[in-house]
Amino acid sequence: MAAIALPAELTMAEASVTLQALLPAIAAADAPPVIDASTLQILDSAAIAVLLECRRASAAIGRELKVEGLPDKALALARLYGVAGLLTDVAAD
């Protein structure tokens, strides 16, 4: 399966629409879903919330979600909230 790409901007304003686009792609995945976050440039804590909801949706169908290319700002937010280990293979320090 090809990676599911995040948009360049994922803030509170885009979170609902983005999540509604991602969830069907995750549900339709015939292999563990992969989210490509490398294009993500403008983000806030809503991006982390969307990724966590995608992780829950993937777990609900028995698959482990993989997030690739998570930008440093997103990783810093995930670490701040104590959830970096849920989104990446990087230790949460």
Side-chain angles (χ1 to χ4, degrees):
M1 173 182 179
I4 305 163
L6 289 182
E9 186 169 346
L10 182 47
T11 64
M12 186 65 79
E14 298 83 25
S16 181
V17 170
T18 300
L19 187 59
Q20 294 310 312
L22 293 172
L23 292 179
I26 289 168
D30 56 358
V34 176
I35 291 185
D36 178 4
S38 64
T39 59
L40 192 56
Q41 297 175 13
I42 300 169
L43 63 119
D44 62 16
S45 60
I48 304 304
V50 166
L51 290 171
L52 290 172
E53 183 57 32
C54 289
R55 184 179 185 273
R56 283 189 281 273
S58 187
I61 59 171
R63 298 212 170 101
E64 184 176 344
L65 179 74
K66 182 174 182 180
V67 179
E68 295 179 340
L70 195 63
D72 290 342
K73 181 179 178 182
L75 184 55
L77 282 173
R79 283 184 171 139
L80 178 68
Y81 301 134
V83 297
L86 298 175
L87 299 177
T88 68
D89 294 333
V90 177
D93 293 341

